[in-house]
Amino acid sequence: MLSFECDYNKGAHKKILERLLETNEEPAKGYGFDPYCASAAEKILKACELAGGQVQFLTGGTQTNQIVIDAMLAGYEAVVAADTGHVNFHEAGAIEYTGHKVLTIPHVNGKLDAGDLEQYLKDYYADDNHEHMARPGMVYISHPSEYGTLYSKAELEALSSVCKTYEIPLFMDGARLGYGLMSKDTDITLPDIAKLCDVFYIGGTKVGALCGEAVVFTHGNMPKHFLTTVKQHGALNAKGRLLGVQFDTLFTDDLYFEISKHAIDMAEKLKKAFREKGYKFLIDSPTNQIFVILENDKKKELEKEALFGFWEKYDETHTVVRIATSWGTTEEELNALIELI
Amino acid sequence: MLSFECDYNKGAHKKILERLLETNEEPAKGYGFDPYCASAAEKILKACELAGGQVQFLTGGTQTNQIVIDAMLAGYEAVVAADTGHVNFHEAGAIEYTGHKVLTIPHVNGKLDAGDLEQYLKDYYADDNHEHMARPGMVYISHPSEYGTLYSKAELEALSSVCKTYEIPLFMDGARLGYGLMSKDTDITLPDIAKLCDVFYIGGTKVGALCGEAVVFTHGNMPKHFLTTVKQHGALNAKGRLLGVQFDTLFTDDLYFEISKHAIDMAEKLKKAFREKGYKFLIDSPTNQIFVILENDKKKELEKEALFGFWEKYDETHTVVRIATSWGTTEEELNALIELI
Amino acid sequence: MLSFECDYNKGAHKKILERLLETNEEPAKGYGFDPYCASAAEKILKACELAGGQVQFLTGGTQTNQIVIDAMLAGYEAVVAADTGHVNFHEAGAIEYTGHKVLTIPHVNGKLDAGDLEQYLKDYYADDNHEHMARPGMVYISHPSEYGTLYSKAELEALSSVCKTYEIPLFMDGARLGYGLMSKDTDITLPDIAKLCDVFYIGGTKVGALCGEAVVFTHGNMPKHFLTTVKQHGALNAKGRLLGVQFDTLFTDDLYFEISKHAIDMAEKLKKAFREKGYKFLIDSPTNQIFVILENDKKKELEKEALFGFWEKYDETHTVVRIATSWGTTEEELNALIELI
Amino acid sequence: MLSFECDYNKGAHKKILERLLETNEEPAKGYGFDPYCASAAEKILKACELAGGQVQFLTGGTQTNQIVIDAMLAGYEAVVAADTGHVNFHEAGAIEYTGHKVLTIPHVNGKLDAGDLEQYLKDYYADDNHEHMARPGMVYISHPSEYGTLYSKAELEALSSVCKTYEIPLFMDGARLGYGLMSKDTDITLPDIAKLCDVFYIGGTKVGALCGEAVVFTHGNMPKHFLTTVKQHGALNAKGRLLGVQFDTLFTDDLYFEISKHAIDMAEKLKKAFREKGYKFLIDSPTNQIFVILENDKKKELEKEALFGFWEKYDETHTVVRIATSWGTTEEELNALIELI
C-alpha cells in the first residue's frame, strides 16, 4: 500500500539514526544540558543569523504551541489566530486547557490577513467593554498554513508591523517550516522569519526527525524560568540528547534544507502529473501538501492501493483529498502513484 | 569522567536502535495506531498476565504522572502521596498545574504506609467540613520509591485493600520499575502489580529506551476518550512508532528484565565494594540507587573523576551522594569507580 | 441624568431589603444550609413544577456559567454556543480559564438554531480525526439572548431533542429569565424550561436582587460533590443566607414575575413611543432590551440627559444603542425619557 | 439555641442595611465604578495611611485568596504558607485549581516563622535541581491566624524583610483583620500592615458585612488589567455598589474598628468566665476565637443549648471546641452562655 496520507509516516532520516548510534554510549547530562543540544542550538542560530537568539527543544507540535503560548501570555490574555489555525481546530483544546482563549479571525486561503488583524485589534480597543473580554496578547500564524499556503515577505512584514504597533508578539508555528522555506514560490528566508517573528519553531517531526521541534526566541525574549515551565507542562525530556542529536544532524551540512527540497521536488512532480491528467486542485499549494479534487469512484479505486487524507466533500460526486510528500518519499513510491492516477 | 549521577545518561539499548533502523522505511499510521505499538501492547499485557488490560504509550515520567492523575480524577479531587513522592517535590508543580492538589502523608523510608493512609482517609471523612477540602480521589506510590526502596507484596496488598475500601484507584509510578522487579530483595512480580494496582506504568526512559513510558490500565478502566485527553495535554506523538518500536523491543525475549537485572548486578557489586572499604549508607536500598555517606574531602577528591548526585548534607563533615547504576553501566566503568573509592 | 444603559443600575426590590432587615439578627448556618435557602429552593422547584429538581445559589452570571459548565463537562469536553453567546464574548475567557473550549456556531438573531446544531454535531462525529478535536459535551443557550430575542417553545423543543439524541446536556443561561417569561411574545413557561433543559438558572442580579442566580438541575443531575466544586471555584458564600433571603422573597407571592412584567410593560411603552416618533429598531426584541437606531447628532443630544449602552455603528451617520428597562424603572423615568426623544 | 460556632452566623451591621436602603433607588454604574466604591476605597486608604495604594472589592475570602495569588504569581510560581494556612487546608484546593502549588512550612502556633521561611528559601535556591521544582513566588500569612493567634510587629517586620531579600511579595489574609487589630494583645496597626505587606485584605464577611473583602495593594502594585482577571475568575459583581456601600459604611466613623472591638470585649469576658470556672484552653488566643477543652459529657450537655465548632479530639475523655464571638454577639447571648458553662 502506498502511503501519501501525511508527512509523518516514516521514521527518521538515516543520518539521524546513524548519529544516534554513534553517540549512544557517551554519557551526557540530562534535560537539554548535553553537548548535542548546545551544538544544535548554535547551528540553528547561525542559520537564522541571530546573535541574541535562544533555542529550546520540545517534542511535538501541539506541545510546542501549548507551551509557547501559555508561557508568553499573561493569565488574562488570549491568542489571536486564523479560524483555520491548528491551535483552533485540531489540538483538542490544548490552548484552552492552559486557560487561554483562542480568538479567531476568518482566514484568507488559510492565512491571517494583516489588515483583518489590525481591524480586529482596533475594534477591541475601541470597545468600551473591552476589559470584560479576553485580551489579545499574541498572534499565532502557521507557515506553511494548514492549507499548504505561504505568507509572502510583504505579508509577513505587514503582520509583524501590526504586532509591533499593538505591542504583542508574533508567533510562527513552523511544524512544516522546511517545506515552506524550500518552496519554489517563496521569497522568505529563515533569517527573514527570525527577524520578523518574536518566536517561531523549526519543525522536526514532519521534516526528517523521529520527533522534535526547535523553538527559537529571536531577541532574548525567552520567558523567565522557561525550563521550569516546560517541566511543569510535563514536556522536559530527561534524555534531551535525543532532540539535540537530531537537530544537530539536521543542521549539519544543510541536511534540513536538502531533505525539505526533496519533498518539494516530489510534490512539484506529482502536481505536474495530476495537472497533465486533467485533475483539478482545491487550493494552489506551493508546498508539500496537495489538495486534489477526485471523482468519488476514482477515489475509491485509488484507495485500494494508496492512502490519502480526507479533506472535505467537494460536491455530490467529488471529494477533496490531501496528498502529502515528505523528506522520506522515494522516487519509486512517487512513480507508482503517478502510474495509478 | 565517570558518570554515575543518574540512570538516564546514555542513549538506548543497542537492540532498540537497530530495530528503529530496520523499521525506519516502513510507512505506518500515526498517533499510536502503528503495528509496533499494537505488538508492544500485546507483549506487555502478556507479561502482566492481564486479559482485560489496556496500554497507552507516553514520552516521559512527569508527563505520565500528570496525564494519568488528571484523567482519572474528577475536577474536585486530589491525589494522595507520600511527602517524598516525585509528584509532590520534583515535578515543578505539574500536578497542581492541572488543577489538582497533592495531599501528602509523611513517608516511611520513602514509602506510603497503608495504616497511615487508612487513618488519613478515615480522618477526612470524619471531618464535618470535609466538603470544604480537596477530596482524596486516588493514591500515588512510586516503586522503587525516590529513596530506592521497595514495597513488599504484603505492603502493596495492604495499600490496595485500603484503596478498594475507600473506592479510589491505586496508581504506581514505575519510572524505574525494572530495577524494582529485578531487585534481589523483592517478592513482587509484574503480574502482582497488575493485579493490585488500578493503573501503573513501566518506565522506559530510565530502563533502556531513548524515551517512553508504558501506562497500563489493569481492568478496562482507561478513562473515556483518553486519546483526546493525551492530545489536549500536548502529549500525543505524531510518530507513535518511536514508542512502539522501543517497547516492542524491550518486551521481546525479556530484554527489559535482562537489562534491569544487569543494573542490579552492577549495584550489588558496587555496594559490596563500598561496604568492604568501610563506607556507610544512608538507606539500605535494594535497587539501582545507592545512597553513600562520604567524608567531604573524599567527596571532593572523587568528584575529580566521577559524577554523583548530591542527596543531602549528613553532618558538618559528611555528605550523602546518590550513585546510580543503569542498564548501560559497563563493567569497565564500574571497576574504574571501585578502584577510585 | 436618566439611566437606561443597563438593568443592573439600582439596588434591590424594596421587599428584599426589608426581609434582609427582618431576618438580620437570627443566627443561621453558613454556606447555604440556612432555612432561607431551603425555603427559596422549595418555592423555586414548585414554580418549576419539578419534583426531582435541585437548586444551588450562586452570586453572578459569569460565575454561574463558569461553574456549571466546568462541573458538567469532562476534562476533554467543550461547550457549544452561538458565536454571540455571553460565554463566548463577554466573560473575559472565563470558560477557557477552566480549561474548556467554547465551540461556536453562527447565531440566528442571537439564537442557536437546532438544525445548525445538529449539523455541527453530525459533522464532528463524521470527521475521522474528531478524537483530535475538543469534544462537544454540552450546549449553552441564553434566554433571553444577548440580542433580547427569545426561543419559541418549538425551537427549544428542537434543541432539547438534538441534545437528547447526542446525549449531551442543554444548559440555559437565564440571567434575564424573568424578562423572557413575562414577554408578551413568548409561549414558554418556567415549567417548560424545567422540562426541556437539563440545567438552567433564574437570574436575580438583573431581576430585583442585589446579587444572586438560582441554578436549577432539573432531574437529580447536580454533579457529585457540587458544593466542593463551588468552594474550589471561590464561589461559596459564607453567608448563604444573603442569597436565600433574596430568592425566598422573589418567589413569594410571585414577586419575581410581577417585577419582570413591570420591566416588560415599561419596555413596550417605550418601544411604542420610539415607533410613533419614527425611530427604527435594529432587532425586534420582545423583552426588556431595545435596540434603537439613532442619528448620531440626536444620540449626542440625548446623551446629555440619559445614559444608553453603545451597541454598534449602524452606518456613517447612525448608531445603534441598547436601552434597557428593568424591575426598577419608574414611570417618572420612563416619561422623562419619552419626552426627550 | 445559642449560636457560637462561627463569626458569620448573622446578617450585617444595622447601619449597613440602612445605608443600602438609603442608596437603593440611585442609579449607579456597574462593576465597581459607582461612587460608593470610590468613597469606600478613599476611606480605606486613608485609614491605612497609604498614598499610592489601590483597592479592589471582592465577595468572599477563598475567592480573594484565589484571585490575588493567581494574579500575582507567574505561571510557574507557587505560594508559600504555613501548613495550617487556610489556603492549604480549607479551600477545597482553590489555589491548586488555578494551577499553583501551595508550598508548606510547619506552623508555629498557627503562624509562619520568619526564620523557617528564610531557611526554606535558602534551601530552595541551594538545591541544584530547583529549576525542577515549583518556584516560591509569594508568601501567604493569615492575621489573625487559623488558630486565632497574632503576629507581633517584630515578627511581621522579620517576614517582610525576608520577602524583600528574596524579592517575593508578602500577602496577608485579613478575613478577620478587625479582630486582630482590636485585640488587647497586639502592637500592630493598620498602617503597619499597609507598610509591611505588599497586598492584604480587610475582611467584611466576618466583620459586619453581608459579604465582601477589600483587597489593598499597598504600593501601586495591583496587577495589570486586574479587572479582566477578576471577571475571568467569575468574581466581578455587576452591582459593585453592594460592596461599595458596605465598606463605605464600615469605614465611616470607625464603625469597622468599633464593632471589631465589641467582639473582642465579648471574647475577653467569655474567656474570663471559662477561666474562673476552671476550664483550660488549647491555645491562648487573643482574638475572637476561643479554643476550650471540654470534658466530653459536659460538651454533650452544653450542645443541647449552644452551637460550637468542633476543633479536635484532645484525649479519650476531652474535646477541643472553637467558640467564636463576633460584631453581632449580644450581651444577652453572652450572659446566657456564661450561665450555661
Side-chain angles (χ1 to χ4, degrees):
Chain A
M1 186 66 112
L2 292 168
S3 170
F4 281 89
E5 77 278 22
C6 70
D7 38 18
Y8 42 87
N9 54 356
K10 294 193 173 174
H13 192 276
K14 218 184 157 184
K15 283 192 186 166
I16 284 180
L17 292 179
E18 283 164 1
R19 187 79 183 121
L20 282 172
L21 260 168
E22 277 168 33
T23 58
N24 194 45
E25 310 292 326
E26 297 166 20
K29 274 199 172 180
Y31 305 112
F33 295 102
D34 59 89
Y36 317 112
C37 280
S39 166
E42 201 186 315
K43 287 174 184 169
I44 285 170
L45 291 177
K46 203 178 155 201
C48 293
E49 297 178 10
L50 273 181
Q54 296 154 302
V55 177
Q56 170 76 39
F57 299 103
L58 292 169
T59 302
T62 298
Q63 180 182 84
T64 303
N65 288 332
Q66 184 180 55
I67 292 177
V68 169
I69 290 171
D70 189 35
M72 293 194 72
L73 291 182
Y76 50 81
E77 290 180 331
V79 62
V80 183
D83 54 0
T84 47
H86 207 256
V87 291
N88 189 41
F89 260 134
H90 278 95
E91 301 190 349
I95 306 306
E96 292 83 359
Y97 182 71
T98 68
H100 303 286
K101 192 175 182 68
V102 180
L103 300 166
T104 56
I105 294 178
H107 74 105
V108 179
N109 284 322
K111 295 186 284 179
L112 187 65
D113 178 76
D116 293 347
L117 173 64
E118 188 162 26
Q119 191 59 49
Y120 183 92
L121 293 169
K122 204 178 280 181
D123 289 351
Y124 171 80
Y125 284 102
D127 191 317
D128 282 351
N129 290 313
H130 70 264
E131 287 282 349
H132 291 245
M133 300 192 278
R135 191 176 185 84
M138 81 190 291
V139 171
Y140 165 95
I141 56 172
S142 37
H143 181 87
S145 77
E146 293 71 20
Y147 280 42
T149 51
L150 291 172
Y151 289 90
S152 69
K153 194 170 169 187
E155 287 171 339
L156 191 61
E157 283 170 342
L159 283 169
S160 179
S161 164
V162 174
C163 287
K164 278 197 173 55
T165 302
Y166 283 90
E167 296 182 342
I168 55 179
L170 178 60
F171 169 38
M172 179 186 281
D173 169 342
R176 294 187 171 98
L177 191 60
Y179 304 137
L181 292 170
M182 291 298 105
S183 164
K184 303 199 175 318
D185 294 307
T186 188
D187 59 352
I188 292 187
T189 64
L190 188 53
D192 288 338
I193 288 167
K195 206 176 138 195
L196 294 169
C197 295
D198 296 281
V199 54
F200 69 98
Y201 63 97
I202 301 172
T205 307
K206 288 169 179 166
V207 191
L210 288 164
C211 63
E213 319 292 311
V215 186
V216 182
F217 294 94
T218 60
H219 47 86
N221 57 326
M222 180 183 277
K224 283 206 293 181
H225 305 297
F226 192 55
L227 187 92
T228 304
T229 298
V230 171
K231 177 88 181 177
Q232 180 196 37
H233 283 70
L236 189 63
N237 285 296
K239 292 183 181 168
R241 65 192 293 156
L242 169 60
L243 302 173
V245 168
Q246 292 188 91
F247 273 97
D248 193 48
T249 308
L250 286 170
F251 279 83
T252 297
D253 299 335
D254 287 336
L255 180 63
Y256 188 75
F257 302 97
E258 241 176 55
I259 66 178
S260 297
K261 188 175 174 302
H262 171 77
I264 294 297
D265 290 345
M266 294 289 100
E268 290 297 323
K269 197 169 161 185
L270 191 57
K271 277 192 283 185
K272 189 160 166 277
F274 271 114
R275 212 177 286 118
E276 283 174 6
K277 297 195 181 182
Y279 288 85
K280 296 254 181 288
F281 302 97
L282 178 71
I283 310 153
D284 183 23
S285 158
T287 56
N288 73 316
Q289 299 185 80
I290 304 173
F291 300 84
V292 192
I293 301 165
L294 294 183
E295 203 278 317
N296 289 347
D297 289 343
K298 184 71 186 173
K299 177 168 169 283
K300 259 187 207 156
E301 190 197 312
L302 288 175
E303 286 181 343
K304 283 176 197 153
E305 309 197 40
L307 296 171
F308 306 131
F310 169 82
W311 190 252
E312 63 183 46
K313 198 177 145 173
Y314 186 75
D315 60 24
E316 286 311 307
T317 54
H318 294 80
T319 301
V320 183
V321 297
R322 188 189 72 166
I323 300 178
T325 62
S326 81
W327 60 275
T329 307
T330 63
E331 295 274 356
E332 292 69 38
E333 290 166 337
L334 198 84
N335 291 335
L337 177 59
I338 288 174
E339 220 154 294
L340 277 182
I341 63 179
Chain B
M1 186 68 113
L2 292 168
S3 170
F4 281 90
E5 78 277 22
C6 70
D7 39 18
Y8 43 86
N9 54 355
K10 295 192 174 175
H13 192 274
K14 220 184 156 183
K15 283 193 185 164
I16 284 179
L17 291 179
E18 283 164 1
R19 187 79 183 123
L20 283 172
L21 260 168
E22 277 169 32
T23 59
N24 193 46
E25 310 292 327
E26 297 166 21
K29 272 199 176 182
Y31 305 112
F33 295 101
D34 59 89
Y36 318 111
C37 280
S39 166
E42 202 186 316
K43 287 174 185 169
I44 285 170
L45 292 177
K46 203 178 155 201
C48 294
E49 297 177 11
L50 272 180
Q54 296 154 304
V55 177
Q56 170 75 39
F57 299 103
L58 291 169
T59 303
T62 298
Q63 181 182 85
T64 303
N65 288 332
Q66 183 180 56
I67 292 176
V68 169
I69 290 172
D70 189 35
M72 294 194 73
L73 291 182
Y76 50 82
E77 290 179 332
V79 61
V80 183
D83 53 1
T84 47
H86 207 257
V87 291
N88 189 41
F89 260 135
H90 278 94
E91 301 190 348
I95 306 306
E96 292 83 359
Y97 182 71
T98 69
H100 303 286
K101 193 175 183 65
V102 180
L103 300 166
T104 56
I105 293 178
H107 75 105
V108 179
N109 284 323
K111 295 187 283 180
L112 188 63
D113 178 76
D116 293 346
L117 174 64
E118 187 162 26
Q119 191 60 48
Y120 183 93
L121 294 168
K122 203 178 283 182
D123 289 350
Y124 171 79
Y125 283 102
D127 191 317
D128 281 352
N129 290 313
H130 70 263
E131 286 282 348
H132 291 245
M133 299 192 279
R135 192 177 184 83
M138 81 189 292
V139 172
Y140 165 95
I141 56 171
S142 37
H143 182 88
S145 77
E146 292 70 19
Y147 280 42
T149 52
L150 292 171
Y151 289 90
S152 68
K153 195 170 170 188
E155 286 171 339
L156 191 60
E157 283 170 343
L159 281 169
S160 179
S161 164
V162 174
C163 287
K164 278 197 173 54
T165 302
Y166 283 89
E167 296 183 343
I168 55 179
L170 179 59
F171 169 37
M172 179 186 282
D173 169 341
R176 295 187 170 97
L177 192 59
Y179 305 137
L181 292 170
M182 291 298 106
S183 165
K184 305 203 175 312
D185 294 308
T186 187
D187 59 351
I188 292 187
T189 64
L190 188 53
D192 288 337
I193 289 168
K195 206 175 137 195
L196 294 168
C197 296
D198 296 280
V199 53
F200 68 98
Y201 62 97
I202 301 171
T205 306
K206 289 170 178 164
V207 192
L210 288 164
C211 62
E213 320 292 312
V215 186
V216 182
F217 293 94
T218 60
H219 47 86
N221 57 326
M222 180 183 277
K224 283 207 293 182
H225 305 297
F226 192 56
L227 188 92
T228 303
T229 298
V230 171
K231 177 89 181 176
Q232 179 197 36
H233 283 69
L236 190 63
N237 286 296
K239 292 182 180 168
R241 65 192 292 155
L242 169 59
L243 302 173
V245 168
Q246 292 189 91
F247 273 97
D248 194 47
T249 309
L250 286 170
F251 279 83
T252 297
D253 298 336
D254 288 337
L255 180 63
Y256 188 75
F257 303 98
E258 240 176 57
I259 65 177
S260 296
K261 187 174 175 303
H262 170 76
I264 294 296
D265 290 345
M266 295 289 101
E268 291 296 324
K269 197 168 161 185
L270 191 57
K271 276 192 284 186
K272 190 159 165 276
F274 271 114
R275 214 177 285 120
E276 284 174 4
K277 299 194 181 182
Y279 288 85
K280 297 252 179 292
F281 302 96
L282 179 72
I283 311 154
D284 183 24
S285 159
T287 57
N288 73 316
Q289 301 186 79
I290 304 173
F291 300 84
V292 192
I293 301 166
L294 294 184
E295 202 279 318
N296 288 349
D297 288 342
K298 184 72 187 173
K299 178 169 168 283
K300 259 187 205 156
E301 190 197 313
L302 289 175
E303 286 181 343
K304 284 176 195 153
E305 308 197 40
L307 296 171
F308 306 131
F310 168 81
W311 189 253
E312 64 183 43
K313 197 177 144 172
Y314 187 73
D315 60 25
E316 286 311 307
T317 53
H318 294 80
T319 300
V320 183
V321 297
R322 187 188 72 168
I323 300 179
T325 63
S326 81
W327 60 275
T329 306
T330 63
E331 295 273 356
E332 292 70 37
E333 290 166 337
L334 198 84
N335 291 334
L337 178 59
I338 289 176
E339 221 154 295
L340 277 182
I341 61 179
Chain C
M1 186 68 113
L2 293 167
S3 170
F4 281 89
E5 77 278 21
C6 70
D7 38 18
Y8 44 86
N9 54 355
K10 294 192 173 175
H13 193 275
K14 219 184 155 182
K15 284 192 185 166
I16 284 180
L17 291 179
E18 284 164 0
R19 187 78 183 122
L20 283 172
L21 261 167
E22 278 169 32
T23 59
N24 194 45
E25 310 293 326
E26 298 166 19
K29 273 199 175 180
Y31 306 112
F33 295 101
D34 59 89
Y36 318 111
C37 281
S39 167
E42 201 186 316
K43 288 174 184 170
I44 284 171
L45 292 177
K46 204 179 153 199
C48 294
E49 297 178 9
L50 273 181
Q54 297 154 302
V55 177
Q56 170 75 39
F57 299 103
L58 291 169
T59 302
T62 298
Q63 180 182 87
T64 303
N65 288 333
Q66 184 180 55
I67 292 176
V68 169
I69 291 171
D70 189 34
M72 294 193 71
L73 291 182
Y76 51 82
E77 289 179 333
V79 60
V80 183
D83 53 0
T84 48
H86 207 257
V87 291
N88 189 42
F89 260 134
H90 279 93
E91 300 190 347
I95 306 307
E96 292 84 359
Y97 182 71
T98 69
H100 303 286
K101 192 175 182 68
V102 180
L103 299 166
T104 57
I105 294 177
H107 74 105
V108 179
N109 284 323
K111 295 186 284 180
L112 187 65
D113 179 75
D116 293 347
L117 173 65
E118 187 163 24
Q119 191 59 49
Y120 183 92
L121 293 169
K122 203 178 283 182
D123 289 350
Y124 171 79
Y125 284 102
D127 192 317
D128 282 351
N129 290 313
H130 70 263
E131 287 281 349
H132 291 245
M133 299 192 278
R135 192 177 185 83
M138 81 189 292
V139 172
Y140 165 95
I141 56 172
S142 37
H143 181 88
S145 77
E146 292 71 19
Y147 281 42
T149 52
L150 291 172
Y151 290 89
S152 69
K153 194 170 168 185
E155 287 171 341
L156 191 60
E157 284 171 342
L159 282 170
S160 180
S161 163
V162 174
C163 287
K164 278 198 173 53
T165 303
Y166 284 90
E167 297 183 341
I168 55 180
L170 179 59
F171 169 38
M172 179 186 282
D173 169 342
R176 294 187 169 96
L177 191 60
Y179 305 136
L181 292 170
M182 290 298 105
S183 166
K184 302 198 177 316
D185 295 308
T186 187
D187 60 351
I188 292 187
T189 64
L190 188 53
D192 289 337
I193 289 168
K195 206 177 136 193
L196 294 169
C197 296
D198 297 280
V199 54
F200 69 99
Y201 63 98
I202 301 172
T205 306
K206 289 169 178 166
V207 192
L210 288 165
C211 62
E213 320 292 313
V215 186
V216 182
F217 294 94
T218 61
H219 46 86
N221 57 326
M222 181 183 278
K224 284 206 291 183
H225 305 296
F226 192 55
L227 188 92
T228 304
T229 297
V230 171
K231 177 87 181 178
Q232 179 197 37
H233 284 69
L236 189 63
N237 285 297
K239 293 183 180 166
R241 64 193 292 156
L242 168 60
L243 302 172
V245 168
Q246 292 189 92
F247 274 96
D248 193 47
T249 308
L250 286 170
F251 280 82
T252 297
D253 298 336
D254 288 337
L255 180 63
Y256 188 76
F257 302 98
E258 242 176 55
I259 65 178
S260 296
K261 186 174 175 304
H262 171 77
I264 294 297
D265 290 345
M266 294 289 100
E268 291 296 324
K269 198 170 161 185
L270 191 57
K271 277 193 283 186
K272 188 159 168 279
F274 271 115
R275 212 177 286 119
E276 284 174 4
K277 298 195 181 183
Y279 289 84
K280 297 256 181 288
F281 302 96
L282 177 73
I283 311 154
D284 183 24
S285 158
T287 56
N288 73 316
Q289 300 186 81
I290 305 173
F291 300 84
V292 193
I293 301 165
L294 295 183
E295 202 278 315
N296 288 348
D297 288 344
K298 184 71 186 172
K299 177 170 168 281
K300 259 187 204 156
E301 190 197 314
L302 289 174
E303 286 181 342
K304 285 174 194 153
E305 307 197 41
L307 296 171
F308 306 131
F310 168 82
W311 189 252
E312 63 182 45
K313 197 176 143 173
Y314 186 75
D315 60 24
E316 285 312 307
T317 54
H318 292 80
T319 301
V320 183
V321 297
R322 187 188 72 165
I323 300 178
T325 63
S326 82
W327 60 276
T329 307
T330 63
E331 296 274 354
E332 293 70 39
E333 290 167 337
L334 198 84
N335 292 335
L337 178 58
I338 289 174
E339 221 154 294
L340 277 182
I341 62 178
Chain D
M1 187 67 113
L2 293 168
S3 170
F4 281 90
E5 78 278 22
C6 69
D7 39 18
Y8 43 87
N9 53 355
K10 295 193 172 176
H13 192 275
K14 219 184 156 183
K15 284 192 186 165
I16 284 179
L17 291 178
E18 284 164 0
R19 187 77 184 123
L20 283 172
L21 260 167
E22 277 168 34
T23 60
N24 193 46
E25 309 293 326
E26 298 165 21
K29 273 199 175 180
Y31 306 113
F33 295 102
D34 59 88
Y36 318 111
C37 281
S39 167
E42 201 186 315
K43 287 173 184 168
I44 285 171
L45 292 178
K46 205 179 151 199
C48 294
E49 298 179 7
L50 272 181
Q54 296 155 303
V55 177
Q56 171 74 41
F57 299 103
L58 292 169
T59 302
T62 297
Q63 181 182 85
T64 303
N65 288 333
Q66 184 180 56
I67 292 176
V68 169
I69 290 172
D70 189 35
M72 293 194 72
L73 290 182
Y76 50 84
E77 289 180 332
V79 61
V80 183
D83 54 1
T84 47
H86 207 256
V87 291
N88 189 42
F89 259 134
H90 278 93
E91 300 190 348
I95 306 307
E96 291 84 359
Y97 181 71
T98 69
H100 303 286
K101 191 174 184 68
V102 180
L103 300 167
T104 57
I105 294 178
H107 74 106
V108 179
N109 284 322
K111 295 187 284 179
L112 187 65
D113 178 76
D116 293 348
L117 173 64
E118 188 163 24
Q119 190 60 48
Y120 184 92
L121 294 169
K122 204 179 282 182
D123 289 351
Y124 171 79
Y125 283 102
D127 191 318
D128 282 351
N129 290 313
H130 71 263
E131 287 282 349
H132 291 246
M133 300 192 277
R135 192 176 185 83
M138 82 189 291
V139 171
Y140 164 96
I141 56 172
S142 37
H143 181 87
S145 77
E146 292 71 19
Y147 280 42
T149 51
L150 291 173
Y151 289 89
S152 69
K153 195 170 168 186
E155 287 171 340
L156 191 60
E157 284 170 343
L159 282 169
S160 181
S161 164
V162 174
C163 287
K164 277 196 174 55
T165 302
Y166 284 90
E167 297 184 341
I168 56 180
L170 179 60
F171 169 38
M172 179 186 281
D173 169 341
R176 294 186 170 97
L177 191 59
Y179 305 137
L181 292 170
M182 292 297 106
S183 165
K184 301 198 179 316
D185 293 308
T186 187
D187 59 351
I188 292 188
T189 64
L190 188 52
D192 288 337
I193 289 168
K195 206 177 137 193
L196 294 169
C197 296
D198 296 280
V199 54
F200 68 98
Y201 63 98
I202 301 171
T205 307
K206 289 170 178 165
V207 192
L210 288 164
C211 61
E213 319 293 313
V215 185
V216 182
F217 294 94
T218 60
H219 47 85
N221 57 325
M222 180 183 276
K224 285 208 289 182
H225 306 295
F226 192 56
L227 188 92
T228 303
T229 298
V230 171
K231 178 87 179 177
Q232 180 196 37
H233 283 70
L236 189 63
N237 285 297
K239 292 182 182 170
R241 64 192 293 154
L242 169 59
L243 302 173
V245 168
Q246 292 188 93
F247 274 96
D248 194 46
T249 308
L250 286 171
F251 279 83
T252 297
D253 298 336
D254 288 336
L255 181 62
Y256 188 75
F257 302 98
E258 241 176 56
I259 65 177
S260 296
K261 187 175 175 304
H262 170 77
I264 294 296
D265 290 345
M266 295 289 100
E268 291 296 323
K269 199 170 160 183
L270 192 56
K271 276 191 285 185
K272 190 159 166 279
F274 271 116
R275 214 177 285 120
E276 285 173 4
K277 298 194 181 183
Y279 289 84
K280 297 253 181 292
F281 302 96
L282 178 72
I283 310 155
D284 182 24
S285 158
T287 58
N288 74 315
Q289 301 186 80
I290 303 174
F291 300 85
V292 192
I293 300 165
L294 295 183
E295 202 278 315
N296 288 348
D297 288 344
K298 184 72 186 171
K299 176 169 169 280
K300 259 188 205 157
E301 190 197 314
L302 289 175
E303 286 181 342
K304 284 176 194 152
E305 308 196 40
L307 296 171
F308 307 131
F310 169 82
W311 189 252
E312 63 182 45
K313 197 176 145 174
Y314 186 74
D315 60 24
E316 285 312 307
T317 55
H318 293 81
T319 301
V320 183
V321 298
R322 188 188 70 166
I323 299 179
T325 63
S326 82
W327 61 275
T329 307
T330 63
E331 297 272 355
E332 293 69 40
E333 290 167 337
L334 198 84
N335 292 335
L337 177 58
I338 289 173
E339 222 156 293
L340 277 181
I341 61 179

